[in-house]
Amino acid sequence: MQIRRYLACLILGAPILSTAGNLAGLEGEPVEPLAANHRHRAVAYVFMGTDCPVSNRLAPEIERLHQTFSSRGILLRAVYPGHTATEVREHRQAFSLTLPAFVDAVGTVAKEMGITVTPEVIVYLFHGDKKEPTLNYRGRVNDVYSRLGQGRPAATRHDLREVLEGIAAGSPLPLRITQAVGCHVGR
């Protein structure tokens, strides 16, 4: 059902983040995450869970990607569905995360986007003055987990890094979808 809805958004050109007003910054301020980002090449939303071992294991890699690509016109943003601002602040401090974070307190945005696990990433490309961004990637950060509870010592595929490298080089890859592995969203 979620895949059909997602594909319908792509085919019909409907805004994919129509409930963006449900996101809040850590001080409770409402956030419009896709507004005024035309000066950037892309934005990547990483849906994370504070109590998810998969999110926690990948947190250092997510921060490295943020550090690498923020100066190259690509924004990385953490979205925490079902968490409070206090939980998010504590998580960011525990893992030394500096990427901007948003609270999706009741999981409305995650639900609308079809996010069922954390971590899962969605990357949008911006096209100059065109208002609506286009979806470029949806899926995992890398393949360090083949299924929940079955991790590798190190990743063999770096899906998100490959996508961001292509965008930064001015040669975005075609739309790509991988299967995210992680903890169920909805506490």
PDB file of all heavy atoms in Angstrom, residues 65-79:
ATOM      1  N   LEU A  65      28.828  11.871   6.676  1.00  0.00           N
ATOM      2  CA  LEU A  65      28.212  12.311   5.422  1.00  0.00           C
ATOM      3  C   LEU A  65      27.797  13.778   5.520  1.00  0.00           C
ATOM      4  O   LEU A  65      27.989  14.549   4.578  1.00  0.00           O
ATOM      5  CB  LEU A  65      27.020  11.417   5.066  1.00  0.00           C
ATOM      6  CG  LEU A  65      27.375   9.977   4.693  1.00  0.00           C
ATOM      7  CD1 LEU A  65      26.118   9.131   4.592  1.00  0.00           C
ATOM      8  CD2 LEU A  65      28.174   9.927   3.404  1.00  0.00           C
ATOM      9  N   HIS A  66      27.229  14.161   6.645  1.00  0.00           N
ATOM     10  CA  HIS A  66      26.858  15.561   6.860  1.00  0.00           C
ATOM     11  C   HIS A  66      28.096  16.457   6.751  1.00  0.00           C
ATOM     12  O   HIS A  66      28.068  17.484   6.051  1.00  0.00           O
ATOM     13  CB  HIS A  66      26.188  15.724   8.220  1.00  0.00           C
ATOM     14  CG  HIS A  66      26.057  17.140   8.669  1.00  0.00           C
ATOM     15  ND1 HIS A  66      25.274  18.063   8.021  1.00  0.00           N
ATOM     16  CD2 HIS A  66      26.647  17.795   9.699  1.00  0.00           C
ATOM     17  CE1 HIS A  66      25.373  19.232   8.637  1.00  0.00           C
ATOM     18  NE2 HIS A  66      26.196  19.090   9.651  1.00  0.00           N
ATOM     19  N   GLN A  67      29.162  16.090   7.417  1.00  0.00           N
ATOM     20  CA  GLN A  67      30.387  16.887   7.389  1.00  0.00           C
ATOM     21  C   GLN A  67      30.970  16.973   5.974  1.00  0.00           C
ATOM     22  O   GLN A  67      31.446  18.022   5.561  1.00  0.00           O
ATOM     23  CB  GLN A  67      31.436  16.301   8.346  1.00  0.00           C
ATOM     24  CG  GLN A  67      31.057  16.373   9.806  1.00  0.00           C
ATOM     25  CD  GLN A  67      30.922  17.796  10.309  1.00  0.00           C
ATOM     26  OE1 GLN A  67      31.676  18.677   9.926  1.00  0.00           O
ATOM     27  NE2 GLN A  67      29.945  18.023  11.172  1.00  0.00           N
ATOM     28  N   THR A  68      30.915  15.884   5.236  1.00  0.00           N
ATOM     29  CA  THR A  68      31.480  15.831   3.882  1.00  0.00           C
ATOM     30  C   THR A  68      30.667  16.637   2.884  1.00  0.00           C
ATOM     31  O   THR A  68      31.223  17.369   2.067  1.00  0.00           O
ATOM     32  CB  THR A  68      31.572  14.367   3.397  1.00  0.00           C
ATOM     33  OG1 THR A  68      32.423  13.651   4.289  1.00  0.00           O
ATOM     34  CG2 THR A  68      32.118  14.280   1.980  1.00  0.00           C
ATOM     35  N   PHE A  69      29.346  16.530   2.938  1.00  0.00           N
ATOM     36  CA  PHE A  69      28.525  17.080   1.864  1.00  0.00           C
ATOM     37  C   PHE A  69      27.879  18.422   2.159  1.00  0.00           C
ATOM     38  O   PHE A  69      27.391  19.082   1.242  1.00  0.00           O
ATOM     39  CB  PHE A  69      27.468  16.051   1.436  1.00  0.00           C
ATOM     40  CG  PHE A  69      28.086  14.879   0.756  1.00  0.00           C
ATOM     41  CD1 PHE A  69      28.302  13.696   1.432  1.00  0.00           C
ATOM     42  CD2 PHE A  69      28.503  14.968  -0.561  1.00  0.00           C
ATOM     43  CE1 PHE A  69      28.902  12.611   0.804  1.00  0.00           C
ATOM     44  CE2 PHE A  69      29.102  13.898  -1.203  1.00  0.00           C
ATOM     45  CZ  PHE A  69      29.309  12.714  -0.519  1.00  0.00           C
ATOM     46  N   SER A  70      27.882  18.880   3.407  1.00  0.00           N
ATOM     47  CA  SER A  70      27.245  20.165   3.705  1.00  0.00           C
ATOM     48  C   SER A  70      27.954  21.315   2.992  1.00  0.00           C
ATOM     49  O   SER A  70      27.309  22.279   2.579  1.00  0.00           O
ATOM     50  CB  SER A  70      27.173  20.413   5.210  1.00  0.00           C
ATOM     51  OG  SER A  70      28.462  20.498   5.763  1.00  0.00           O
ATOM     52  N   SER A  71      29.252  21.215   2.804  1.00  0.00           N
ATOM     53  CA  SER A  71      29.985  22.269   2.103  1.00  0.00           C
ATOM     54  C   SER A  71      29.881  22.127   0.582  1.00  0.00           C
ATOM     55  O   SER A  71      30.389  22.972  -0.150  1.00  0.00           O
ATOM     56  CB  SER A  71      31.460  22.244   2.521  1.00  0.00           C
ATOM     57  OG  SER A  71      32.057  21.035   2.104  1.00  0.00           O
ATOM     58  N   ARG A  72      29.216  21.071   0.126  1.00  0.00           N
ATOM     59  CA  ARG A  72      29.086  20.821  -1.314  1.00  0.00           C
ATOM     60  C   ARG A  72      27.648  21.030  -1.796  1.00  0.00           C
ATOM     61  O   ARG A  72      27.251  20.527  -2.838  1.00  0.00           O
ATOM     62  CB  ARG A  72      29.572  19.408  -1.628  1.00  0.00           C
ATOM     63  CG  ARG A  72      31.065  19.260  -1.282  1.00  0.00           C
ATOM     64  CD  ARG A  72      31.559  17.863  -1.365  1.00  0.00           C
ATOM     65  NE  ARG A  72      31.700  17.430  -2.759  1.00  0.00           N
ATOM     66  CZ  ARG A  72      32.027  16.200  -3.093  1.00  0.00           C
ATOM     67  NH1 ARG A  72      32.255  15.287  -2.164  1.00  0.00           N
ATOM     68  NH2 ARG A  72      32.124  15.874  -4.362  1.00  0.00           N
ATOM     69  N   GLY A  73      26.865  21.764  -1.012  1.00  0.00           N
ATOM     70  CA  GLY A  73      25.517  22.120  -1.428  1.00  0.00           C
ATOM     71  C   GLY A  73      24.460  21.061  -1.175  1.00  0.00           C
ATOM     72  O   GLY A  73      23.373  21.111  -1.738  1.00  0.00           O
ATOM     73  N   ILE A  74      24.765  20.100  -0.309  1.00  0.00           N
ATOM     74  CA  ILE A  74      23.810  19.038   0.007  1.00  0.00           C
ATOM     75  C   ILE A  74      23.534  19.071   1.506  1.00  0.00           C
ATOM     76  O   ILE A  74      24.453  18.969   2.318  1.00  0.00           O
ATOM     77  CB  ILE A  74      24.347  17.664  -0.421  1.00  0.00           C
ATOM     78  CG1 ILE A  74      24.606  17.658  -1.930  1.00  0.00           C
ATOM     79  CG2 ILE A  74      23.368  16.563  -0.021  1.00  0.00           C
ATOM     80  CD1 ILE A  74      25.335  16.442  -2.430  1.00  0.00           C
ATOM     81  N   LEU A  75      22.282  19.233   1.851  1.00  0.00           N
ATOM     82  CA  LEU A  75      21.880  19.298   3.251  1.00  0.00           C
ATOM     83  C   LEU A  75      21.487  17.917   3.751  1.00  0.00           C
ATOM     84  O   LEU A  75      20.746  17.211   3.074  1.00  0.00           O
ATOM     85  CB  LEU A  75      20.674  20.227   3.400  1.00  0.00           C
ATOM     86  CG  LEU A  75      20.814  21.633   2.838  1.00  0.00           C
ATOM     87  CD1 LEU A  75      19.475  22.349   2.892  1.00  0.00           C
ATOM     88  CD2 LEU A  75      21.867  22.398   3.605  1.00  0.00           C
ATOM     89  N   LEU A  76      21.963  17.531   4.909  1.00  0.00           N
ATOM     90  CA  LEU A  76      21.486  16.328   5.584  1.00  0.00           C
ATOM     91  C   LEU A  76      20.713  16.777   6.804  1.00  0.00           C
ATOM     92  O   LEU A  76      21.164  17.662   7.550  1.00  0.00           O
ATOM     93  CB  LEU A  76      22.637  15.410   5.992  1.00  0.00           C
ATOM     94  CG  LEU A  76      23.019  14.377   4.932  1.00  0.00           C
ATOM     95  CD1 LEU A  76      23.927  15.000   3.908  1.00  0.00           C
ATOM     96  CD2 LEU A  76      23.650  13.175   5.560  1.00  0.00           C
ATOM     97  N   ARG A  77      19.559  16.182   7.008  1.00  0.00           N
ATOM     98  CA  ARG A  77      18.675  16.518   8.113  1.00  0.00           C
ATOM     99  C   ARG A  77      18.219  15.230   8.793  1.00  0.00           C
ATOM    100  O   ARG A  77      17.849  14.285   8.118  1.00  0.00           O
ATOM    101  CB  ARG A  77      17.420  17.257   7.621  1.00  0.00           C
ATOM    102  CG  ARG A  77      17.715  18.490   6.786  1.00  0.00           C
ATOM    103  CD  ARG A  77      18.182  19.587   7.683  1.00  0.00           C
ATOM    104  NE  ARG A  77      18.173  20.867   7.013  1.00  0.00           N
ATOM    105  CZ  ARG A  77      19.237  21.641   6.942  1.00  0.00           C
ATOM    106  NH1 ARG A  77      20.373  21.259   7.453  1.00  0.00           N
ATOM    107  NH2 ARG A  77      19.169  22.810   6.353  1.00  0.00           N
ATOM    108  N   ALA A  78      18.239  15.206  10.102  1.00  0.00           N
ATOM    109  CA  ALA A  78      17.729  14.072  10.858  1.00  0.00           C
ATOM    110  C   ALA A  78      16.282  14.352  11.239  1.00  0.00           C
ATOM    111  O   ALA A  78      15.958  15.453  11.686  1.00  0.00           O
ATOM    112  CB  ALA A  78      18.567  13.834  12.105  1.00  0.00           C
ATOM    113  N   VAL A  79      15.417  13.370  11.051  1.00  0.00           N
ATOM    114  CA  VAL A  79      14.014  13.473  11.460  1.00  0.00           C
ATOM    115  C   VAL A  79      13.766  12.326  12.434  1.00  0.00           C
ATOM    116  O   VAL A  79      14.056  11.168  12.129  1.00  0.00           O
ATOM    117  CB  VAL A  79      13.054  13.372  10.250  1.00  0.00           C
ATOM    118  CG1 VAL A  79      11.610  13.437  10.724  1.00  0.00           C
ATOM    119  CG2 VAL A  79      13.349  14.464   9.233  1.00  0.00           C
TER     120      VAL A  79
END
